[in-house]
Amino acid sequence: MTQAIQVRGLRKQYGGVDAVAGIDLDIAQGEIFAILGPNGAGKSTTVEILEGYRKRDAGEVSVLGSDPGKPTRRWKSRIGIVLQNTEESPELTVREMLRHFSAYYPDSRDPDEVIAMVGLTESAGKRIRHLSGGQRRRVDVALGVVGRPELLFLDEPTTGFDPESRRQFWELIEGLSDDGTTIVLTTHYLEEAEALADRVAVIAQGRIVAEGEPSTLGGRATAKARVTWSEGSVETDTPTETVLELSRTFDGEIPGLTVTRPSLEDIYLSLIEPS
Ligand code: ADP
């Protein structure tokens, strides 16, 4: 499998204090990888080093086969970055903005195709300043992908989205991934990581404290299940057995039955608890 990103022993200090304290990462080409962690954990520092915007103190880093500490123009053109607040020219229309930026890249996508991808076709002739917050966010994403990046960094992409826009956005990201784009995402929404990411890493205090598929992270898939019904609730390793017994007791349907395992949020919160 080709690696889009390879990191070994990454370290970064600010004023003698570890912000990133030894991180290893392997992100495969075409993967959607989410980086989770509380504020101050070292996520932005890590991502900015990968993007070529920050110098590291130590460690080996390869992004699309090159050292991001020595970024070249050609390398930069292969990477898309969607920041939290992009400054856009308010007086330009969506189409003008996309046309303008597409000219910077050697193999850019057609601006109108990108506008359609992010669901802004009907607003293509509108000035940026007349767009809603959610529509501006789509412009940010459009600008991030117009250069046809092989690797796309998304920093909390759906903050402030309503549930419907968030789902549409997830479809857009999945579509890019299906086309082979590698996606590195930071998010505070655990359900977003769960819906989108092939793998997640949880960072706390500059270190990776867990890494894996969202469905199995931190022993989630093998954790005890909670069986709840209208009259009670038990935690058990053998939920099927419990349900069978209950079904016999009730002689059929069990009123109010649910069987749950810890959510990604439960696991996440237990992982970042200060020890
Ligand atoms: P996150 O993105 O997970 O919130 P950051 O990477 O922004 O975490 O920050 C990690 C730690 O490094 C925090 O303690 C933060 O205060 C510190 N830090 C980040 N940037 C700087 C900087 N430019 N100068 C000094 N300290 C910084």
Side-chain angles (χ1 to χ4, degrees):
M1 195 162 21
T2 318
Q3 298 297 339
I5 295 179
Q6 225 170 22
V7 175
R8 292 290 175 273
L10 180 64
R11 287 182 176 272
K12 174 77 182 178
Q13 291 193 330
Y14 298 111
V17 179
D18 282 337
V20 177
I23 278 184
D24 297 339
L25 270 181
D26 289 290
I27 301 176
Q29 207 181 319
E31 202 170 22
I32 303 182
F33 193 91
I35 298 180
L36 311 174
N39 289 332
K43 303 182 297 295
S44 307
T45 302
T46 304
V47 169
E48 285 168 14
I49 290 169
L50 300 178
E51 292 169 346
Y53 281 108
R54 232 172 245 270
K55 297 279 176 214
R56 62 190 185 268
D57 294 336
E60 300 291 315
V61 183
S62 166
V63 174
L64 300 180
S66 297
D67 181 346
K70 301 177 188 111
T72 63
R73 236 187 129 105
R74 173 76 193 122
W75 177 83
K76 282 189 192 169
S77 75
R78 297 166 65 200
I79 289 172
I81 299 178
V82 180
L83 298 170
Q84 280 186 55
N85 293 301
T86 312
E87 280 294 316
E88 284 150 2
S89 313
E91 295 306 325
L92 291 185
T93 67
V94 173
R95 186 177 288 117
E96 285 165 349
M97 184 94 186
L98 266 296
R99 283 195 180 151
H100 178 72
F101 276 93
S102 70
Y104 289 150
Y105 297 94
D107 182 28
S108 53
R109 289 191 163 95
D110 174 63
D112 285 316
E113 188 188 307
V114 175
I115 290 167
M117 269 166 74
V118 300
L120 283 177
T121 300
E122 281 167 28
S123 308
K126 274 198 192 167
R127 291 185 200 284
I128 305 278
R129 71 181 162 92
H130 289 147
L131 299 180
S132 70
Q135 287 173 323
R136 282 186 196 207
R137 204 77 191 101
R138 287 160 192 254
V139 175
D140 293 341
V141 175
L143 293 172
V145 303
V146 72
R148 204 186 296 279
E150 292 162 56
L151 170 61
L152 180 64
F153 290 99
L154 296 166
D155 187 14
E156 304 197 12
T158 63
T159 301
F161 278 32
D162 60 39
E164 191 195 353
S165 315
R166 178 165 295 141
R167 296 220 171 231
Q168 285 170 359
F169 180 81
W170 292 350
E171 282 174 25
L172 164 65
I173 298 306
E174 276 161 1
L176 288 168
S177 170
D178 290 344
D179 288 343
T181 312
T182 307
I183 290 158
V184 178
L185 159 88
T186 60
T187 182
H188 278 120
Y189 297 109
L190 278 299
E191 79 274 19
E192 180 155 286
E194 175 130 51
L196 273 183
D198 298 309
R199 282 188 308 136
V200 306
V202 179
I203 299 186
Q205 297 173 332
R207 290 192 171 81
I208 293 182
V209 293
E211 190 182 340
E213 293 173 21
S215 59
T216 58
L217 194 80
R220 193 178 163 201
T222 51
K224 280 188 195 300
R226 177 165 290 280
V227 179
T228 302
W229 65 103
S230 57
E231 289 160 21
S233 171
V234 291
E235 250 189 9
T236 171
D237 284 321
T238 53
T240 308
E241 194 58 38
T242 306
V243 169
L244 278 171
E245 280 168 24
L246 281 168
S247 153
R248 273 183 232 116
T249 312
F250 283 100
D251 197 18
E253 276 306 308
I254 308 162
L257 174 70
T258 59
V259 180
T260 55
R261 307 251 182 204
S263 66
L264 186 58
E265 183 160 295
D266 296 332
I267 295 288
Y268 169 78
L269 290 173
S270 69
L271 284 167
I272 63 165
E273 243 173 34
S275 47

